[in-house]
Amino acid sequence: MSNLPADSALVRACRGLDVPRTPVWFMRQAGRSLPEYRKIRQGAGMLESCRRPDLVTEITLQPVRRHDVDAAILFSDIVVPLAAAGVDLDIVAGTGPVVAEPIRTADDVAGLPVLEPEAVDFVAESVRLLLPELGATPLIGFAGAPFTLASYLIEGGPSRTYLKTKAMMYGDPQLWHALCDRLAGITVTFLQVQIEAGVSAVQLFDSWAGALSEADYRQYVLPHSSRVLGGLAEAGVPRIHFGVGTGLLLEAMGEAGADVVGVDWRTPLDRAAQIVGPDHSVQGNLDPAVLFAPWEVVEREARRVLEQGKAARGHVFNLGHGVMPETDPDVLTRLVELIHSV
Ligand code: 1CP
């Protein structure tokens, strides 16, 4: 093994190659659980912060320095490429993405802009600044998958029921597919910019796909996520595909073309490994809420996840979803030490 990010434990585990130890990183490892993040973000809006390479670089590095995780994830958001393409939206503190004029009609879909790579130059610049700082530590790029992006554009913001999203999906499948087709295009461009700038892996977040049945997922979502992941097959970096509440979708999500299927805490990794088969690694899946229990419980649960992860061709240790803002960062540091010591 060389001292290059392309040969890191993360990339090797994603490909199902042998590793010196199980790599570990955390979804939302940069963010409000860290006092240094809260400090640097003072007075800077979320979207504005994502557009400033100096801030992106510093925030991306913070959890690597503090926790010694085996990967950095670019500080950005799934709606950043939509905003860069020209969609009028904001990321509102305490709420999340809010879209000024939600997409509901054929005219709205036709008016959705394409993403020119130059519009996300700030992302490429951030990656270029990060690579020398990170050295052997791989940088993960990411994007939102068409379904999850569509849900924000159609609902106008976060949703619990995805009623308007499903109304379009079931009520006007042609319009739904036209919208997802455009979003897949934006997502491919956004990921390609990050890959060309030098990220070592990419993660496609379809966070809310778990709202769908497997049949509906296959009919309305899989073709578009396949186009994104398939479009990156020759790019030479591993592709991770993650969603929440996707226990019954894991097989289909694997078929979308990912090297790694991300698993939330509801499905034991040995079972997930059986479902996705020997051609995929798995990532996950400690319940983020476990970090609020006494250390003995954290350790027991983390060891269980490691043990169950052995059933897969490769395992990237992570939480089953993002770090919650109230998490004690010292518990995360201790958890990384534990994973490294096993
Ligand atoms: O002001 C703030 O600090 C806002 C909180 C915040 C942060 C830190 C948001 C708003 N986005 C982010 C960064 C972010 N978003 C990262 C970065 C880095 C890291 O992991 O360290 C990533 C990977 C995302 C991706 C993202 N954004 C997803 C997919 C991952 C997931 O958690 O499922 C989703 C669904 C979003 C939308 C979004 N952006 C922000 C919020 C609060 C939300 C969720 C809103 C909702 O509940 O629908």
Side-chain angles (χ1 to χ4, degrees):
M1 259 178 287
S2 67
N3 205 20
L4 289 169
D7 205 27
S8 57
L10 175 93
V11 170
R12 293 181 65 87
C14 288
R15 296 198 191 290
L17 303 172
D18 58 301
V19 287
R21 62 189 191 191
T22 304
V24 47
W25 69 280
F26 304 117
M27 292 184 276
R28 298 253 170 121
Q29 62 189 13
R32 283 175 297 166
S33 68
L34 302 184
E36 58 269 36
Y37 171 83
R38 296 195 294 267
K39 182 151 178 254
I40 200 171
R41 276 287 319 282
Q42 266 172 22
M46 178 65 192
L47 268 183
E48 176 202 341
S49 305
C50 293
R51 290 190 190 114
R52 281 183 47 187
D54 59 330
L55 278 185
V56 171
T57 304
E58 172 56 25
I59 294 173
T60 301
L61 290 170
Q62 283 176 348
V64 180
R65 287 192 202 112
R66 185 191 264 264
H67 303 310
D68 193 28
V69 279
D70 296 302
I73 179 159
L74 188 74
F75 181 75
S76 186
D77 193 84
I78 58 168
V79 298
V80 163
L82 301 177
V87 177
D88 185 1
L89 63 83
D90 198 8
I91 300 178
V92 177
T95 301
V98 175
V99 178
E101 292 168 32
I103 305 260
R104 307 265 164 82
T105 67
D107 282 349
D108 295 340
V109 171
L112 196 69
V114 297
L115 177 66
E116 302 296 343
E118 305 77 48
V120 283
D121 266 344
F122 56 89
V123 172
E125 175 63 14
S126 302
V127 173
R128 283 192 289 269
L129 289 173
L130 275 161
L131 294 182
E133 299 284 337
L134 284 166
T137 302
L139 176 62
I140 302 171
F142 73 90
F147 175 80
T148 293
L149 291 179
S151 80
Y152 287 107
L153 288 176
I154 298 170
E155 304 291 336
S159 170
R160 262 196 293 272
T161 57
Y162 309 99
L163 258 186
K164 297 186 178 76
T165 308
K166 290 183 178 183
M168 184 194 289
M169 198 178 85
Y170 294 126
D172 194 344
Q174 214 180 333
L175 185 60
W176 167 260
H177 284 297
L179 173 59
C180 287
D181 187 55
R182 280 168 181 259
L183 293 174
I186 290 175
T187 298
V188 168
T189 301
F190 188 52
L191 289 172
Q192 265 163 352
V193 165
Q194 296 174 62
I195 292 169
E196 274 164 33
V199 300
S200 294
V202 290
Q203 177 154 329
L204 187 66
F205 283 98
D206 210 352
S207 299
W208 314 136
L212 300 175
S213 70
E214 184 184 0
D216 288 342
Y217 177 85
R218 286 185 180 277
Q219 182 172 352
Y220 297 108
V221 176
L222 182 59
H224 306 289
S225 296
S226 296
R227 193 184 135 207
V228 173
L229 292 165
L232 302 171
E234 309 302 317
V237 302
R239 299 152 293 172
I240 309 167
H241 194 189
F242 168 79
V244 183
T246 53
L248 298 173
L249 303 181
L250 293 173
E251 186 179 8
M253 288 180 77
E255 287 170 26
D259 303 279
V260 184
V261 178
V263 184
D264 82 359
W265 62 90
R266 294 173 181 90
T267 309
L269 287 184
D270 48 359
R271 190 130 155 246
Q274 210 176 21
I275 295 169
V276 302
D279 295 333
H280 297 90
S281 301
V282 296
Q283 175 174 280
N285 73 346
L286 187 71
D287 187 337
V290 164
L291 302 177
F292 295 80
W295 173 254
E296 298 70 45
V297 180
V298 178
E299 174 163 354
R300 185 190 71 213
E301 288 297 297
R303 286 182 184 275
R304 174 184 60 76
V305 168
L306 278 174
E307 201 51 42
Q308 291 173 335
K310 285 182 187 163
R313 112 184 150 165
H315 176 210
V316 177
F317 191 97
N318 206 314
L319 304 180
H321 197 187
V323 173
M324 299 209 226
E326 303 83 1
T327 307
D328 176 355
D330 291 342
V331 176
L332 288 171
T333 307
R334 202 169 165 190
L335 177 57
V336 174
E337 282 170 15
L338 171 69
I339 303 302
H340 284 166
S341 73
V342 176

